[in-house]
Amino acid sequence: LAKTTQPISMDSYEGQEVNITCSHNNIATNDYITWYQQFPSQGPRFIIQGYKTKVTNEVASLFIPADRKSSTLSLPRVSLSDTAVYYCLVGADNYGQNFVFGPGTRLSVLP
Amino acid sequence: DAGITQSPRYKITETGRQVTLMCHQTWSHSYMFWYRQDLGHGLRLIYYSAAADITDKGEVPDGYVVSRSKTENFPLTLESATRSQTSVYFCASSESGATNEKLFFGSGTQLSVL
């Protein structure tokens, strides 16, 4: 199981860029890296996924170095509504176990 | 509308009672999952299913039973509820179990066992 490690919590202020790094030293060759966002009282939702280098969408950017042992989720100019828990997922030895969540990073955006 | 729906949204039951949480998806996704989330904690995988009639244990399966007779439904049963099973339960689905698949979650069922 490719275990992930993320900071438990982070604080930021509105308008700042936030970078959340996930370590996954045992990532397998065919594993993708996927990030989810969870607001209070809601189920998580997919925000971005990548395999290598950089991926950008309308919500975030994902930076993956060449060795793929870590990844960084970047949220540009956060607002109060970005306060949520962010989860990083990578693969596992078998299907189904690919979707085991870690504790995530609790991001608090302050005014 | 297409999507994944859970019912009931809230449920209160008593210790020792049987309770079933329902999950229905309209995408014909192969994989379905049940998670529980305790207050202030992350999600823990209870059971998952790769297809109809195929289920497997996750991280915390004890005290739960699942079935999947139809692709679109994946009910979760607590045969004899305990207070430690008070939690928010999320159902999810994905097209396959590959690491590049996305999970789609329902709105959750908040279960209280008294």
Side-chain angles (χ1 to χ4, degrees):
Chain A
L1 181 65
K3 184 178 178 180
T4 61
T5 304
Q6 304 173 232
I8 293 298
S9 64
M10 295 180 68
D11 290 337
S12 181
Y13 291 96
E14 282 191 292
Q16 289 187 331
E17 178 183 77
V18 171
N19 296 310
I20 305 174
T21 296
C22 178
S23 297
H24 29 79
N25 292 319
N26 297 322
I27 190 169
T29 303
N30 59 345
D31 285 344
Y32 281 72
I33 301 156
T34 309
W35 286 79
Y36 291 84
Q37 175 190 56
Q38 185 180 25
F39 297 117
S41 302
Q42 295 184 25
R45 67 165 188 156
F46 168 91
I47 49 174
I48 200 165
Q49 182 183 79
Y51 182 80
K52 61 181 179 180
T53 63
K54 176 184 174 182
V55 179
T56 298
N57 63 21
E58 65 279 4
V59 176
S61 294
L62 180 60
F63 299 91
I64 305 169
D67 66 5
R68 304 199 330 120
K69 292 185 183 298
S70 67
S71 58
T72 298
L73 174 73
S74 181
L75 305 172
R77 297 179 298 282
V78 294
S79 64
L80 296 177
S81 62
D82 292 314
T83 293
V85 180
Y86 293 83
Y87 299 94
C88 163
L89 267 71
V90 296
D93 294 332
N94 59 69
Y95 286 8
Q97 298 290 344
N98 286 340
F99 303 106
V100 172
F101 284 73
T105 297
R106 187 173 298 274
L107 173 66
S108 298
V109 180
L110 308 172
Chain B
D1 290 339
I4 184 165
T5 55
Q6 294 183 235
S7 61
R9 186 73 175 90
Y10 302 94
K11 177 72 177 178
I12 299 174
T13 191
E14 295 178 340
T15 300
R17 290 190 178 269
Q18 182 181 81
V19 60
T20 297
L21 310 183
M22 305 302 293
C23 180
H24 176 79
Q25 53 104 353
T26 60
W27 292 303
S28 298
H29 282 173
S30 295
Y31 274 71
M32 296 187 74
F33 306 81
W34 275 107
Y35 295 88
R36 62 175 288 175
Q37 185 169 41
D38 301 317
L39 191 63
H41 290 81
L43 295 123
R44 291 186 290 173
L45 180 64
I46 304 172
Y47 268 97
Y48 66 96
S49 169
D53 297 322
I54 301 174
T55 62
D56 207 346
K57 296 178 180 179
E59 302 171 275
V60 288
D62 293 344
Y64 302 95
V65 175
V66 294
S67 62
R68 193 157 176 218
S69 57
K70 294 184 178 181
T71 299
E72 61 267 30
N73 296 323
F74 190 38
L76 176 73
T77 298
L78 290 67
E79 292 192 309
S80 180
T82 65
R83 290 184 180 177
S84 65
Q85 293 177 308
T86 292
S87 188
V88 180
Y89 291 84
F90 289 102
C91 178
S93 71
S94 69
E95 283 195 44
S96 78
T99 70
N100 62 339
E101 285 294 349
K102 304 172 189 177
L103 280 174
F104 296 88
F105 283 82
S107 300
T109 294
Q110 189 168 317
L111 175 67
S112 295
V113 183
L114 305 179

